[in-house]
Each structure stands twice: as C-alpha cells, then as structure tokens.
Amino acid sequence: MKKIITSAFFAAIALFSSCQIRNDDYTEEKIDLTSLTGDENYKSPVALPETENQSEGLSENWWRNSVFYHIWIKSFRDSDVGDCSKNCGDFKGIEESLGYIQDDLGCDAIWLSPFWECAYEGSTNEESAKINMHGYDVSDFYKVNAFFGSGNATAESAEEELVSLIKACHERGMKIIFDFVPNHTSSSNGWFVDSANGDNGKSGWYVWSKTALDWKNTWGASAWHKKNGKYYYAAFADTQPDLNYRNREVREEMKNVVRYWLNKGFDGLRIDAARYLVETEKSREDTDETHEWFKELRSVLDEYESPKFMVSEAWIEGNRTKLDGYFGSGDEFNMVLDFDQGKAVLGEIANQAAGDSPKIFGNPDESKSYGTFLGNHDEYADRLGDSETSIGKTGIILATSLSLLRPTVPFIYYGNEIAQKSGTQDGDFRLRQPFDWTKAETQKSGSDSVLSINKTLIALRKSAEYKDVFANGKISVLESENSGALAYTISDESTELLVVANLARKSAAELSFSGFDVSERGGYSLIVGNGDENADIENDSGCAVLRNFSPHEIRVYDFSSAGRENVLDIWDYDAEPTMYLRGTMNGWNATKMDYDGSEFSASADLTAELAYEFKFDEFGDWSHSFGTSGSSGTVNLNEPFTADDATGVGTNFSFTPEESGAYVFAFNAATKTAEIRR
Ligand SMILES: [Ca+2]
Ligand SMILES: [Ca+2]
C-alpha cells in the first residue's frame, strides 16, 4: 500500500465547492473541445474502502502466466436454481464453480462481465432469463446489481457475495478482474439526470451541445440526441450518453471508481470501448487525449503494492500500429486484447491454408502483453461450437490448440472450452446463453473432449519447464510450399519449441518447411502429438521434412530437452467421420447424416413428381463432395448407385419420387455406394 488516500475527508468540501461551479458548455454555440473544465480540486464524495482481500505474493507481470476465464455472470451458474435458464446467474454460483474453472479446466484468473446496477427492461428475476441484460449501461458504479446476489438479494447482500467470491479466488491462488465501462453511463444514471437538469454541479459531466453536430455513432447514425432543449453525444446507443472527460471532476470521479473496486480486492480490470473516451473536432476514436487519461489511470494502478493490470478493449482489426498505441511507451495499458489473432486462427483452419500467418504474434516485450481469444460476448466470432459443421470436431480442437500454443495470454469465453453452440436468439444475445453444465460434466471424462484438450494444453503452458517460454518467448513463422502447412517456433534463451499443424482436412503424407535445419540442433523430443506414428523430423538441404499427418493434426517438438518422454497424445483418438446431404430438398444447406459405423443416412420429405438434385458432402462446405462424374446422374428408388469424388458443377444426382413422403438417403463412404429407400 503506497499512496492510497481515503477521500472521505474531502467529501464535505467537495460537495460544497462543486455546487459553486457551473459548466454550461452547452449554452455556447460551439462546444469547447480544447480546454479542461470543472473543479481542479474535486474529490469524489464517495469514500474509498480500506484495501482488503488483496492478492499476496504476486510477481510483477503475473498476468503473463495466467489463463483467463471470461464469465457472463447472468448465464454462468445460478446458485438458487442450478442452471440459468429460469433465473439469474450469480456470484455465489461462480464461487461454487471455482473447482470447475481451476481444476477441471485449468484457468487461474477470471474476467467478470459488468456487475453494477444497470438499466434493463424487466424487473423481476423471473423475467431476467429472457432479456439481454448486458450491463454496459451502468446506472451506479458504486452499487452492485442485486440480480447477481442469491435469494432475495439487495445491492448490499450481492456485494457481500461478490467480496466473498474475490476472497475465495485469492484463497485458491486465482485472480479476478472486473469489466470497467468508463466511456458512458446509462441515461438513468443519477449523474446524467442531474446533468440534463443542470443540477448538483453536473452540467458539464456529459458532452452537451446547443445544436446536433454531424458526428456519427459507432453504427453510422447521428450521435446526438435531444434532451431538455439541448443535445448530448452518445458514441453507442442513445441510452448510453458519453461522459465528458474534458471535465476534471469526471476524470477524478472515474479514477475513484477504479480505486474503489481495486481496494475491494480486484486484481485488475478490462476496459470497455477504450477507443472512444475523449472526442476532438477531428476524431472520436483513438485520440491523444484518450491515451492521456489512460496514462493517468495507469499511475493509479501502479500505486498498489499488489501488482494490478489493465487490459484494453480497443476493438481494432488489421492495424497493429493503432492497436499497439494502447501500450503507450510502456506507461499505458499492460495488455491489449488482440482482435486479429482469433480470426486469423479460425480463418486459416476454415480455408485450410496458412495464408495469413504473419498475423501470428507473440507478446511484444516483457511489459506489453496481448490477450488472445477465439470469441467473446460480442459479434466478433460465432461460438466455437458453431464451427462443427464447417471445420468439424477436429477443426475445433485444432483452433483450441493453436489459441493456447502461443506466447500470449489466453482468454477463454465461458462455454467455448466445451464447444458449446450459440442460442437461437437474435444478435449478440445468442452468444450469452446459459452455460451447458451437462455437457461440461460429460466432457470431464474422456481424454479426447474439447475440455480435456484445453486442460492438457493449459497445464503444458503452466508447467515449470514451459511457463517462461509461453510468457516471454518470441514467435517465428517458417515458410512452406504446402498450402495447408503451418509451422512456427516459440523460443527464449533456454527453450525452443516447434509447433507444426496440418490445417487441411485430409491427411498429409509430407510437410516441409524451409529455414529450419534440424541437423544443426542437438536433438528433440515430441511433447504433443499422436505418439504412435513416426514423428521424426528429417533434414533435406536445410528444410525440415515431417511425415504422416492426420487431418488437422498438430505436433509440438521441444529442441531443448532431447529424450523427454512425456508426450501428450492429444491426437490419439478416433474422430467420428462426418457426411452431409446437400440438395434441392434442403435448399443446398448441409443436413448432417447419421452414422452407424459403416453407413451414413439422412431422411428427407419429398414431393411426388418433383425432380430433386443432390450430392454427398464430407465436411458440409463443398471442400470434398461425392457426386456423379458422368452424365447418367439419374437414380431410382431402391437401386444402389455409385458416387465418385466430384467437387464442382454438373456433378449432382437427380431423383424424382413417384409418391410424396419421407425418403432415406444412404451412403457408404468406404465403397462409395449409395441408395435411396422409402
Ligand atoms: Ca440467482
Ligand atoms: Ca467518449
């Protein structure tokens, strides 16, 4: 504890002095976008709690060795009911699930979605399951949402349970961070109500103008909304007015909010919508003034003896310079969420090609970390489980493996560790549905489940041998002429790992990579792979040559410990083969066929006298189909016919039923024979 001051002492003075100041920016024809307003001696009227429940004995940059679990509180676990389908997930449910998070999965840190009192429709627990209570419209930053308490909770009892969760995390050596929303509040927040009415010295706390300027919000509509004869700015929804960070009181108050929750024991914070904090005439994104406030906030974090960190949500894709700008010169964010990596991993697997592998980044240096993820609560990516029809179970496991085998800090969005699918709701609500505890229970047993793969690779990352190379190692991509081949090294002074993946859905007899001479190295051991195959690496004129890759197989070699025998057989399982029926009967969408060990089958309702076109598709995405290579594509009921590898146009079968009703399409991939039955 260094310089934490309790501001209760100043509260009375602050209240008095703030009433003396008027910030009638909006009465000006043009809003002032240059100077600071408000009371420079402002102190928050909210007293800081004593520091309590702090993590002890943490090392500097502890987060670089962590794997975070991202929890949507409402949907994770309801201690009152069990699942969250009827009621509301709560802190107590999370506390009861720490064993799952830490022991069954291996994560040692938690990112909680916003937990404050917020504006939402529906007012009872019964209704809460039906509404998208996102919580990014905060109505009181000092009040915990009673929804997240158990039983007939109040804000106070919910806060007690939140503090209990923080303590329980720390007792297990786990860390916990909160989701901070500094850019805006709810329009129901008392600060905004006062600001709109010109009460309590809050006039200048939001961005007001006498006229609506031509600024657009993040969705391209006007960002100005009329209230009490003047206009306020909102970068997002009109119910989320932007706070005015040119006002010294706002700057100080929001730092007080952060201190308040760090004092309660949180180990850090994720910062929502970081790009939009301070507006200028020229830009509403990534302004120098925005970076300036985050540097001030960073110095608040650095006051604590127990090391704290902040990670930005600056949703930037394809502009590393801009993204890295949030590190400042080591004096701003400790970590930025990396919006390129997840999409690169998923895209490379879907395309079966390492086309954009320069997008594979490691942490820039020891003071700057990337947080990487395959999905979150927003419309960034579908849920990982939704990819099953496009990349199959093996593709999901490959994506999971690649996302963990990087020298970055992984964030796993609840449910993605069991490849849970999206709900059927519209928009981002489908990504925020109740966690599937039944599926999680099933996946605990079975070494080939997605949960088990996560657990195995997280344990590898955190093992004594490899924790340093995954925290601080550098990544270097190898070149290959095989389009489906991906290889890179992760290395530091004492360790060199080689990760090799077959991104293709087909076996690869041979993959070769230039610029990696295995004969120059003193031997190696295979630490991840399908242990029963020949996994040797040969040297061919300075190229590394590897053989016998299964579809989507990934291997990891360690060149610093030849002879190690702890191979993790994550590929030692039989993936269920897949086949899809596609045709005019299902609008050319993929219907997954049942498999009985030898034959695939799918039934379809057909109409008499209609000519149906169809083919069989191995992965549901046209990358490998079975159809007819000749012109005699017409088939008859109960007459076996032969299909060929036939990807492309003019390779469909045709069938015209005499009667309407259900028909079964059967296909044997081994003999390539098919039949339509009633
Ligand atoms: Ca509950
Ligand atoms: Ca703003």
Side-chain angles (χ1 to χ4, degrees):
M1 196 71 274
K2 291 173 194 167
K3 289 177 282 183
I4 304 301
I5 305 164
T6 302
S7 60
F9 175 74
F10 300 99
I13 302 167
L15 277 171
F16 176 75
S17 60
S18 66
C19 290
Q20 308 305 305
I21 290 171
R22 287 190 61 80
N23 288 300
D24 290 344
D25 298 317
Y26 59 87
T27 60
E28 304 294 331
E29 201 59 52
K30 222 170 177 320
I31 59 171
D32 186 351
L33 290 169
T34 49
S35 53
L36 290 180
T37 60
D39 180 4
E40 59 189 21
N41 296 313
Y42 176 84
K43 295 285 182 257
S44 171
V46 178
L48 290 176
E50 293 299 319
T51 52
E52 53 185 346
N53 310 318
Q54 302 290 309
S55 281
E56 285 174 13
L58 295 184
S59 53
E60 288 296 313
N61 301 325
W62 56 264
W63 45 89
R64 292 168 74 93
N65 279 124
S66 298
V67 179
F68 282 80
Y69 192 61
H70 173 189
I71 293 179
W72 197 251
I73 303 168
K74 184 188 161 198
S75 301
F76 186 57
R77 190 167 184 90
D78 184 351
S79 68
D80 304 313
V81 175
D83 69 40
C84 294
S85 54
K86 287 201 185 69
N87 207 289
C88 188
D90 44 44
F91 302 126
K92 206 172 164 192
I94 298 171
E95 184 174 337
E96 288 168 357
S97 307
L98 293 180
Y100 167 75
I101 297 166
Q102 189 177 34
D103 305 331
D104 298 323
L105 176 59
C107 287
D108 58 353
I110 289 171
W111 154 16
L112 284 185
S113 62
F115 54 74
W116 295 291
E117 183 61 52
C118 67
Y120 40 80
E121 291 171 19
S123 57
T124 68
N125 277 317
E126 228 21 72
E127 287 168 346
S128 74
K130 300 185 192 108
I131 56 169
N132 191 359
M133 195 177 74
H134 57 77
Y136 290 98
D137 49 357
V138 179
S139 38
D140 189 340
F141 282 106
Y142 296 105
K143 200 168 181 185
V144 172
N145 194 324
F147 266 108
F148 302 142
S150 64
N152 295 318
T154 60
E156 289 70 30
S157 73
E159 183 173 323
E160 280 168 21
E161 289 177 358
L162 171 60
V163 170
S164 170
L165 169 62
I166 294 170
K167 282 161 95 165
C169 285
H170 290 170
E171 277 163 19
R172 287 172 159 269
M174 296 176 77
K175 275 75 81 181
I176 183 165
I177 67 171
F178 65 97
D179 199 331
F180 185 47
V181 192
N183 179 65
H184 48 262
T185 69
S186 164
S187 50
S188 69
N189 190 303
W191 297 344
F192 183 72
V193 175
D194 281 351
S195 189
N197 295 331
D199 289 341
N200 293 322
K202 296 287 192 297
S203 302
W205 277 42
Y206 290 79
V207 185
W208 294 99
S209 169
K210 200 170 184 181
T211 55
L213 309 185
D214 62 356
W215 301 0
K216 301 281 184 259
N217 66 18
T218 50
W219 303 300
S222 174
W224 293 90
H225 309 280
K226 199 166 188 181
K227 177 98 180 168
N228 297 356
K230 52 197 186 270
Y231 294 83
Y232 65 90
Y233 169 69
F236 296 92
D238 61 346
T239 53
Q240 295 165 290
D242 275 44
L243 283 162
N244 177 18
Y245 277 81
R246 294 186 185 283
N247 184 293
R248 295 182 182 96
E249 299 160 25
V250 169
R251 296 171 85 87
E252 190 54 35
E253 187 64 49
M254 294 308 274
K255 283 188 272 185
N256 198 68
V257 171
V258 172
R259 285 190 176 102
Y260 186 94
W261 292 105
L262 291 180
N263 281 14
K264 290 271 180 187
F266 279 102
D267 298 294
L269 58 157
R270 174 262 188 191
I271 297 192
D272 178 67
R275 304 183 66 189
Y276 306 100
L277 214 63
V278 191
E279 303 76 25
T280 66
E281 191 70 58
K282 249 173 80 181
S283 179
R284 261 64 70 196
E285 296 172 1
D286 311 313
T287 62
D288 293 345
E289 289 83 349
T290 289
H291 287 288
E292 202 47 53
W293 190 78
F294 284 128
K295 289 184 171 84
E296 286 180 26
L297 185 63
R298 170 65 180 271
S299 45
V300 169
L301 269 66
D302 289 347
E303 290 166 2
Y304 286 82
E305 213 161 79
S306 182
K308 312 279 188 189
F309 86 109
M310 58 185 200
V311 52
S312 68
E313 184 221 22
W315 189 336
I316 293 165
E317 294 180 39
N319 188 333
R320 304 301 293 189
T321 308
K322 203 171 260 191
L323 184 73
D324 289 355
Y326 284 85
F327 291 123
S329 48
D331 56 354
E332 202 174 325
F333 283 92
N334 316 79
M335 189 194 297
V336 303
L337 289 172
D338 179 344
F339 286 81
D340 285 329
Q341 286 206 35
K343 277 188 181 168
V345 166
L346 294 165
E348 288 179 353
I349 295 169
N351 297 330
Q352 305 185 60
D356 213 359
S357 44
K359 276 189 176 169
I360 302 163
F361 297 97
N363 290 325
D365 69 40
E366 288 194 17
S367 68
K368 301 168 182 170
S369 310
Y370 287 131
T372 52
F373 53 95
L374 292 171
N376 60 20
H377 58 295
D378 280 328
E379 298 277 8
Y380 172 74
D382 288 336
R383 271 203 172 275
L384 190 57
D386 300 340
S387 307
E388 190 167 343
T389 45
S390 57
I391 60 177
K393 185 185 170 189
T394 54
I396 288 171
I397 287 172
L398 179 58
T400 298
S401 306
L402 285 172
S403 71
L404 293 171
L405 294 168
R406 297 280 163 88
T408 58
V409 181
F411 283 72
I412 298 172
Y413 186 48
Y414 83 100
N416 277 358
E417 80 277 19
I418 53 169
Q420 182 169 334
K421 291 185 168 63
S422 296
T424 53
Q425 297 77 5
D426 289 338
D428 52 27
F429 198 21
R430 76 186 194 287
L431 305 166
R432 305 169 177 184
Q433 292 302 305
F435 182 70
D436 189 342
W437 284 101
T438 310
K439 188 167 183 168
E441 196 57 43
T442 311
Q443 290 200 12
K444 280 187 202 169
S445 53
S447 60
D448 62 349
S449 71
V450 183
L451 180 62
S452 300
I453 303 286
N454 270 288
K455 184 179 177 178
T456 301
L457 294 181
I458 291 171
L460 179 81
R461 284 183 63 97
K462 298 183 74 64
S463 65
E465 298 101 311
Y466 300 116
K467 69 179 174 48
D468 288 341
V469 78
F470 279 107
N472 302 316
K474 296 287 170 222
I475 199 161
S476 172
V477 179
L478 308 187
E479 296 290 325
S480 176
E481 289 183 359
N482 310 106
S483 70
L486 174 70
Y488 55 90
T489 57
I490 309 171
S491 53
D492 62 13
E493 283 162 9
S494 58
T495 306
E496 183 179 42
L497 300 179
L498 172 67
V499 179
V500 186
N502 175 20
L503 300 174
R505 292 244 189 80
K506 295 194 160 193
S507 302
E510 183 180 305
L511 300 176
S512 73
F513 302 93
S514 58
F516 192 90
D517 189 337
V518 66
S519 65
E520 287 177 356
R521 290 162 167 84
Y524 55 84
S525 58
L526 180 70
I527 57 168
V528 172
N530 61 354
D532 54 5
E533 294 291 331
N534 177 1
D536 289 349
I537 307 174
E538 293 162 28
N539 176 40
D540 181 1
S541 315
C543 287
V545 180
L546 297 93
R547 300 186 200 283
N548 301 329
F549 274 81
S550 303
H552 284 158
E553 185 181 338
I554 187 165
R555 296 179 197 165
V556 182
Y557 297 87
D558 179 359
F559 286 86
S560 44
S561 65
R564 192 191 293 280
E565 285 179 0
N566 57 341
V567 178
L568 302 169
D569 292 348
I570 69 165
W571 282 92
D572 189 15
Y573 71 90
D574 296 317
E576 170 124 320
T578 56
M579 197 66 66
Y580 297 83
L581 174 67
R582 283 195 171 198
T584 51
M585 74 284 286
N586 59 16
W588 295 103
N589 289 312
T591 300
K592 191 170 185 197
M593 302 177 79
D594 294 330
Y595 186 62
D596 67 4
S598 62
E599 185 182 82
F600 294 94
S601 62
S603 86
D605 283 325
L606 306 182
T607 305
E609 306 302 331
L610 265 182
Y612 289 89
E613 304 260 300
F614 66 96
K615 65 174 63 170
F616 305 101
D617 190 297
E618 190 173 1
F619 303 114
D621 66 354
W622 306 117
S623 61
H624 186 212
S625 302
F626 295 94
T628 171
S629 53
S631 56
S632 56
T634 303
V635 300
N636 299 312
L637 188 66
N638 298 327
E639 287 181 16
F641 55 97
T642 306
D644 302 314
D645 291 75
T647 299
V649 295
T651 58
N652 303 331
F653 291 109
S654 175
F655 174 66
T656 308
E658 289 178 9
E659 298 168 20
S660 296
Y663 289 77
V664 173
F665 291 72
F667 180 61
N668 185 313
T671 60
K672 296 188 185 176
T673 53
E675 191 174 319
I676 299 174
R677 304 173 193 133
R678 270 297 255 165

